[in-house]
RNA sequence: GGGCCGUUAGCUCAGUGGUAGAGCACCUGCCUUUUAAGCAGGGGGUCGCAGGUUCGAUCCCUGCACGGCCUACCA
């Protein structure tokens, strides 16, 4: 960062001036009596031109300054909202008043004084005493247009939060979503747990991992790509309803829907199956929307969406039939399927296996249409090495993915608890790996051992918190809902 | 990885083959109820970086960097 900025030089000059007067520009403490929003609410009915009986001590960042000779107005913002300050030379005396007018936009200030409402109707604090709480050395972004530069918004999110209401709103909403989700799961009897992020073997999803190294143990460790296999071990251990909210890491591309580290909620429920997980998902998401947004009707990217249960349920096979006319059951080999795709003149990227090819059909032709909440269920076996087979059709598994606004935001199944079948699935995955698929499940002997001690029938669900937040904040990009999205370091960037 | 677009003052943005402008912010002066305060004056720029074409490049060309969108990848 540049340090030769003349605006910064000017502020350094002012900083030195405060110090010259024996004032510490970075004091340790300021006791507040109120925050701005409290005053705005409790004095909502105070008429214009009249005084309250409240003497308030408030603190915050100065965001605007209007100096008019012997009287000045400052806008102060704290974590709750904003309030105006009114200072006059009559109250403060010439010396203190002059000092106050040296305050820069961006500085933190604590003030004490009577709260009143101006003739124009603006609730204000009459500054009787003030304390500089922190001198800012750099100017804030422009007041009217906010901060527009996307790169600065992501790299210096604090500036985005200062300058843009929307950024603040998203950060608050995300926190409320996670909080409401925890409350919901707790009310349903789920126990919050923590499982390892550093794992000797990764699993639970088809993804490439990040690799790291532990010096003392002299071993390679992986950052988890999913919590699944550890949470199932807890089900085996008798914790019948568990969940975890945490970061997963996938060493893959970045897009408006993908960040290399992302937040997922995973929960596991003994004696439940995927239909129970569907009902749980509907209730959870609609409950969160109600708590956080006050309604189950939302707008997402121009669409009116109704989150209230029940959500539409459609099988994987029916969904593809509906949107492409192809009944995938009638084309059970990759070459037959490709012929049918070509015959119907559909444009789909070729995939190496039948399973991936039908999945590609879903992504290309079905997913963009899934605006209203929809469960797509009963996936092909080969796409789902950890899910239980459907009793009525061993080529399918009891699995669903929920979609809203043309975006998948979760994954769930009746968990495979047959240790011998699980071993076969792992071996099939290994075979696919040898055939060149880099994103297969590695065989996890330790997990198989756990399964052999017996896991009750269990339903499992994962919800992508980032994508859910996108949906509930009408954000078009995952970078808007992650405070510090992964970016390439700027070349030549160094600490000033 | 590929395509398209962007990068000009601290911020938001104009602009031109003859080395640059506005608004906000900043500085100075005036101003005791303003709120995008006002009025007057002023300072501030390696026009992302490196090459090339040209008498001359911020502008045209090439490469690079970073970012955005699309695409690819991705449970």
């Amino acid at each position: 960062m540049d340090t030769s900025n003349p605006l910064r030089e000017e502020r350094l000059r002012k900083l030195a001036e405060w110090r010259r007067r024996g004032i510490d520009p970075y004091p340790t403490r300021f006791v507040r009596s109120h925050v701005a929003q409290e005053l705005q609410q409790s004095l909502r009915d105070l008429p214009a031109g009249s005084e309250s009986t409240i003497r308030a001590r408030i603190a915050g960042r100065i965001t605007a300054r209007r100096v008019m000779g012997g009287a000045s107005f400052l806008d102060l913002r704290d974590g709750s909202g904003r309030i105006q300050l009114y200072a006059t030379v009559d109250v403060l005396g010439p010396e203190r008043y002059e000092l106050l007018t040296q305050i820069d936009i961006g500085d933190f200030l604590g003030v004490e004084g009577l709260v009143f409402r101006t003739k124009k109707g603006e609730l204000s604090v009459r500054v009787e005493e003030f304390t500089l709480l922190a001198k800012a050395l750099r100017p804030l972004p422009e007041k009217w247009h906010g901060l527009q530069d996307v790169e600065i918004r992501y790299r210096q999110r604090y500036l985005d939060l200062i300058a843009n209401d929307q950024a603040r709103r998203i950060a608050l909403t995300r926190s409320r979503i996670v909080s409401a989700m925890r409350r919901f799961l707790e009310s349903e009897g789920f126990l919050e747990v923590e499982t390892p992020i550093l794992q000797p073997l990764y699993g639970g999803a088809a993804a490439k991992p990040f690799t790291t190294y532990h010096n003392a143990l002299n071993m390679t460790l992986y950052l988890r790509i999913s919590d699944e296999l550890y949470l199932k071990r807890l089900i085996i251990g008798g914790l019948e309803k568990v969940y975890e909210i945490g970061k997963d890491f996938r060493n893959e591309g970045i897009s408006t829907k993908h960040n290399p580290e992302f937040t997922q909620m995973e929960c596991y429920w003994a004696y439940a199956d995927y239909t129970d997980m569907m009902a749980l998902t509907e209730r959870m998401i609609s409950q969160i929307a109600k708590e956080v947004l006050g309604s189950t009707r939302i707008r997402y990217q121009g669409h009116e969406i109704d989150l209230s249960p029940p959500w539409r349920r459609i099988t994987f096979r029916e969904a593809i039939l509906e949107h492409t006319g192809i009944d995938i059951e009638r084309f059970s080999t990759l070459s037959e399927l490709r012929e049918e795709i070509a015959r119907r003149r559909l444009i789909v990227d070729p995939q190496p296996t039948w399973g991936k090819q039908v999945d590609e059909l879903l992504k290309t032709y079905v997913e963009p249409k899934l605006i209203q909440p929809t469960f797509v269920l009963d996936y092909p076996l080969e796409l789902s090495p950890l899910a239980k087979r459907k009793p009525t059709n061993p080529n399918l598994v009891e699995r669903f993915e929920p979609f809203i606004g043309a975006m998948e935001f979760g994954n769930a199944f009746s968990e495979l608890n047959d240790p011998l079948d699980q071993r076969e699935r792992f071996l099939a995955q290994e075979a696919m790996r040898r055939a060149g698929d880099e994103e297969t499940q590695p065989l996890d002997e330790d997990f198989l051992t756990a399964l052999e001690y017996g896991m009750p029938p269990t339903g499992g669900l994962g919800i992508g918190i980032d994508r859910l937040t996108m949906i509930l904040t009408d954000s078009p990009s995952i970078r808007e809902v992650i405070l510090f999205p992964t970016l390439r370091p700027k070349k030549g960037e160094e600490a000033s």
Side-chain angles (χ1 to χ4, degrees):
Chain A
M1 278 270 160
D2 66 298
T3 52
S4 59
N5 181 335
L7 299 173
R8 185 169 179 274
E9 296 299 324
E10 179 61 27
R11 286 172 180 240
L12 282 171
R13 191 188 62 72
K14 288 181 180 173
L15 179 72
E17 177 61 19
W18 287 92
R19 289 207 157 112
R20 196 188 61 74
R21 297 191 190 214
I23 295 166
D24 177 5
Y26 300 100
T28 56
R29 191 161 186 257
F30 183 86
V31 178
R32 296 191 280 181
S33 66
H34 296 80
V35 295
Q37 188 58 32
E38 282 176 340
L39 293 172
Q40 298 283 8
Q41 264 170 12
S42 62
L43 296 174
R44 204 180 318 118
D45 300 325
L46 186 69
S50 60
E51 297 182 344
S52 78
T53 56
I54 298 176
R55 271 182 69 85
R57 281 174 67 83
I58 58 166
R61 193 190 286 274
I62 299 303
T63 57
R65 203 165 60 114
R66 295 174 291 281
V67 179
M68 295 173 301
S72 293
F73 296 91
L74 302 169
D75 290 344
L76 179 146
R77 194 164 78 210
D78 65 19
S80 71
R82 69 166 282 279
I83 192 164
Q84 180 172 264
L85 309 180
Y86 177 60
T88 63
V89 66
D90 300 341
V91 171
L92 289 169
E95 197 178 330
R96 295 286 289 165
Y97 180 76
E98 195 274 332
L99 199 54
L100 183 66
T101 61
Q102 291 303 303
I103 287 287
D104 281 310
I105 292 171
D107 291 352
F108 281 89
L109 192 70
V111 305
E112 177 171 345
L114 190 74
V115 185
F116 72 107
R117 196 175 288 282
T118 65
K119 290 176 201 162
K120 294 280 176 64
E122 185 75 37
L123 194 71
S124 307
V125 178
R126 177 170 299 149
V127 179
E128 292 158 25
E129 288 173 38
F130 68 88
T131 311
L132 176 64
L133 297 177
K135 182 74 194 157
L137 298 182
R138 291 173 188 269
L140 296 184
E142 203 243 10
K143 63 181 171 188
W144 192 240
H145 300 93
L147 179 63
Q148 299 296 325
D149 187 306
V150 179
E151 190 170 348
I152 299 177
R153 288 185 48 233
Y154 295 162
R155 287 191 196 281
Q156 296 174 271
R157 182 69 86 183
Y158 48 92
L159 293 179
D160 192 27
L161 292 167
I162 291 167
N164 298 322
D165 288 339
Q166 174 72 351
R168 266 196 304 280
R169 188 180 71 81
I170 289 172
L172 289 176
T173 303
R174 179 175 177 134
S175 172
R176 290 184 186 130
I177 288 167
V178 174
S179 171
M181 184 177 279
R182 281 205 164 90
R183 267 196 304 284
F184 174 85
L185 288 165
E186 185 159 342
S187 74
E188 294 282 326
F190 283 86
L191 185 75
E192 182 168 13
V193 297
E194 293 178 85
T195 65
I197 291 172
L198 293 174
Q199 304 180 346
L201 192 61
Y202 57 94
K208 286 173 236 170
F210 287 90
T211 306
T212 187
Y213 191 79
H214 190 274
N215 295 335
L217 292 180
N218 193 24
M219 70 185 291
T220 294
L221 287 170
Y222 302 97
L223 275 66
R224 71 178 171 204
I225 57 173
S226 135
D227 310 4
E228 175 156 353
L229 301 181
Y230 282 92
L231 290 171
K232 284 180 179 171
R233 285 171 169 93
L234 298 179
I235 294 287
I236 293 164
L239 305 182
E240 295 182 344
K241 289 177 128 181
V242 294
Y243 78 99
E244 178 166 17
I245 295 175
K247 286 275 180 78
D248 289 339
F249 307 84
R250 297 185 185 176
N251 208 336
E252 291 161 356
I254 294 176
S255 78
T256 49
K257 290 176 185 171
H258 298 84
N259 197 63
E261 59 178 286
F262 64 102
T263 304
Q264 191 163 213
M265 186 286 295
E266 285 194 40
C267 63
Y268 292 82
W269 179 3
Y271 312 110
D273 71 358
Y274 77 144
T275 63
D276 297 308
M277 301 322 277
M278 273 182 248
L280 186 77
T281 303
E282 292 171 333
R283 282 191 290 123
M284 177 166 61
I285 302 302
S286 57
Q287 174 65 29
I288 289 170
K290 230 180 286 175
E291 267 188 53
V292 174
L293 305 175
S295 169
T296 55
R297 302 191 65 87
I298 61 166
R299 280 193 75 77
Y300 184 67
Q301 301 300 292
H303 299 289
E304 291 277 355
I305 294 173
D306 183 0
L307 300 175
S308 56
W311 294 359
R312 185 184 184 207
R313 286 154 169 77
I314 184 167
T315 65
F316 188 93
R317 174 189 172 197
E318 284 165 355
I320 291 174
L321 181 61
E322 182 178 304
H323 290 97
T324 68
I326 297 178
D327 181 354
I328 56 172
E329 275 205 354
R330 292 180 47 223
F331 307 94
S332 56
T333 68
L334 181 58
S335 58
E336 285 172 344
L337 182 65
R338 281 192 177 157
E339 275 173 36
E340 181 63 10
I341 288 169
R343 200 181 66 76
R344 291 179 179 271
R345 300 183 195 286
L346 301 176
I347 310 295
V348 193
D349 286 320
Q351 298 293 325
T353 65
W354 181 87
K356 291 204 166 191
Q357 193 68 68
V358 292
D359 200 32
E360 192 64 24
L361 277 175
L362 187 84
K363 280 179 184 166
T364 308
Y365 289 99
V366 181
E367 185 167 322
K369 304 288 171 50
L370 300 180
I371 306 298
Q372 296 301 321
T374 304
F375 294 118
V376 174
L377 45 138
D378 298 346
Y379 278 63
L381 177 78
E382 67 171 270
L383 288 173
S384 319
L386 299 165
K388 187 179 277 189
R389 291 176 206 264
K390 270 188 91 68
T392 53
N393 184 342
N395 295 319
L396 298 178
V397 292
E398 292 196 344
R399 170 184 176 188
F400 72 84
E401 291 189 334
F403 292 82
I404 294 174
M407 184 161 60
E408 173 214 328
F409 68 98
N411 188 18
F413 20 93
S414 301
E415 302 295 340
L416 177 56
N417 63 342
D418 174 343
L420 302 180
D421 190 2
Q422 183 66 76
R423 180 176 295 274
E424 281 175 33
R425 305 276 196 97
F426 274 140
L427 290 173
Q429 291 280 306
E430 299 256 289
M432 286 164 68
R433 169 166 297 258
R434 282 193 297 275
D437 189 340
E438 290 182 81
E439 287 158 355
T440 56
Q441 293 279 320
L443 189 144
D444 190 334
E445 200 63 61
D446 188 69
F447 173 66
L448 286 173
T449 300
L451 268 192
E452 291 192 1
Y453 282 94
M455 182 172 89
T458 297
L461 167 69
I463 297 287
I465 300 290
D466 312 282
R467 289 185 180 179
L468 178 61
T469 304
M470 288 170 69
I471 290 163
L472 296 182
T473 59
D474 196 11
S475 298
S477 166
I478 200 167
R479 294 186 201 90
E480 298 295 335
V481 302
I482 294 175
L483 285 169
F484 300 100
T486 305
L487 296 178
R488 205 176 247 119
K490 217 171 160 66
K491 198 184 163 194
E493 182 142 292
E494 54 204 337
S496 58

